[in-house]
Amino acid sequence: MDDTVAIALFRHGMTAENKRRAYVGWTDSPLMPGQVFSEIPENFDRVYTSDLGRCRQTANLLFPKKTAEVLPELREMSFGDWEGKTYEQLKHDTIYQKWLDNPFSISPPNGESFSAFTRRVQKGWAEMTTNMLEQRVRTSALVTHGGVIRYLLSSYSPEQKDFWEWSIPYGRGYQLTCSSERLRRGERCISLQEVPLMGKQNGSGSNIS
Ligand SMILES: Cc1cc2ncn([C@H]3O[C@H](COP(=O)(O)O)[C@@H](O)[C@H]3O)c2cc1C
């Protein structure tokens, strides 16, 4: 019996805030107009999404026939007072400079610490995978954010790369194939591949996060 489960992780399409390279965590920002996503050839049993509008919007464009299940725990890290600000606007801020040197131990003012963020994402991942295993879902797609995907790949991909080593293009997906048993135990998956998209998506191909 095939005991594997596939989970494809998609980053949302580019937003205006992404384009001006502002920090956007919990701030909502609609997708840039005119982005065309081709339909995904794979027929996913289930679609999950972060609760933020840019992800819900992308989930609707990628999977127009499916109702996505919303997982608020899989939203991006909160940048607190820095939300909507760019590097140029923040570069003279001493806390920001310290954070750039060590984003895993310094927190943005009124934002989330990296450890609070990863605890929350782990909770969301556990909720999603438990739901998949209980309901015998074999293939699912999760539409989420750059930071969340980096963290999930650095934790669950068989390839052991650090958080910053992954490049996460807008609107593209990475598919993890996992054994049910390892997934249940919270262990690494067994393979990782890029999800091939049919056609092309405007505004993709950039790795800016
Ligand atoms: C530790 C950490 C450092 C970051 N530096 C930039 N981003 C990135 O996070 C956001 C990516 O989210 P989205 O995919 O919704 O566009 C970007 O705004 C960018 O600021 C970070 C994210 C994290 C977790």
Side-chain angles (χ1 to χ4, degrees):
M1 195 189 86
D2 182 11
D3 181 41
T4 59
V5 166
I7 305 173
L9 309 172
F10 290 90
R11 188 178 181 196
H12 60 79
M14 188 190 271
T15 68
E17 291 292 278
N18 288 140
K19 194 168 166 98
R20 52 181 282 267
R21 305 193 69 151
Y23 287 92
V24 276
W26 290 8
T27 310
D28 228 338
S29 153
L31 299 187
M32 297 273 288
Q35 281 188 87
V36 180
F37 296 91
S38 51
E39 277 192 55
I40 305 296
E42 190 87 29
N43 188 19
F44 293 101
D45 296 335
R46 197 66 61 89
V47 176
Y48 298 94
T49 179
S50 144
D51 63 332
L52 294 177
R54 57 192 183 272
C55 290
R56 291 185 190 218
Q57 224 186 322
T58 303
N60 284 335
L61 289 165
L62 287 174
F63 312 104
K65 297 189 191 89
K66 287 255 193 275
T67 306
E69 281 187 41
V70 178
L71 294 168
E73 268 146 356
L74 295 177
R75 54 158 69 183
E76 189 53 280
M77 192 176 99
S78 163
F79 293 100
D81 296 351
W82 300 341
E83 295 260 342
K85 295 198 172 142
T86 61
Y87 170 82
E88 281 302 312
Q89 291 170 305
L90 289 166
K91 67 182 182 192
H92 300 301
D93 181 322
T94 47
I95 303 174
Y96 176 67
Q97 285 300 337
K98 283 189 185 153
W99 177 78
L100 283 183
D101 289 338
N102 209 339
F104 303 135
S105 49
I106 308 277
S107 313
N110 297 313
E112 237 179 346
S113 67
F114 188 73
S115 59
F117 163 68
T118 59
R119 269 197 306 278
R120 164 168 70 72
V121 171
Q122 251 163 7
K123 229 174 122 200
W125 176 259
E127 188 184 328
M128 184 186 91
T129 55
T130 304
N131 179 270
M132 284 183 71
L133 293 168
E134 280 176 2
Q135 299 184 22
R136 303 195 179 280
V137 174
R138 286 290 174 207
T139 58
S140 70
L142 165 65
V143 184
T144 182
H145 306 268
V148 175
I149 297 176
R150 280 173 196 282
Y151 175 69
L152 290 175
L153 290 178
S154 57
S155 305
Y156 299 112
S157 162
E159 225 180 307
Q160 305 203 13
K161 290 204 264 180
D162 290 340
F163 187 83
W164 295 115
E165 286 181 83
W166 298 99
S167 76
I168 316 290
Y170 297 103
R172 293 302 312 266
Y174 283 108
Q175 179 160 308
L176 286 167
T177 303
C178 322
S179 91
S180 302
E181 198 43 46
R182 293 177 68 123
L183 200 62
R184 190 170 289 114
R185 292 202 296 256
E187 294 173 1
R188 285 183 184 274
C189 294
I190 49 186
S191 74
L192 176 74
Q193 67 209 94
E194 270 197 50
V195 179
L197 281 188
M198 284 154 64
K200 71 175 178 67
Q201 183 227 321
N202 298 338
S204 74
S206 161
N207 296 334
I208 324 163
S209 50

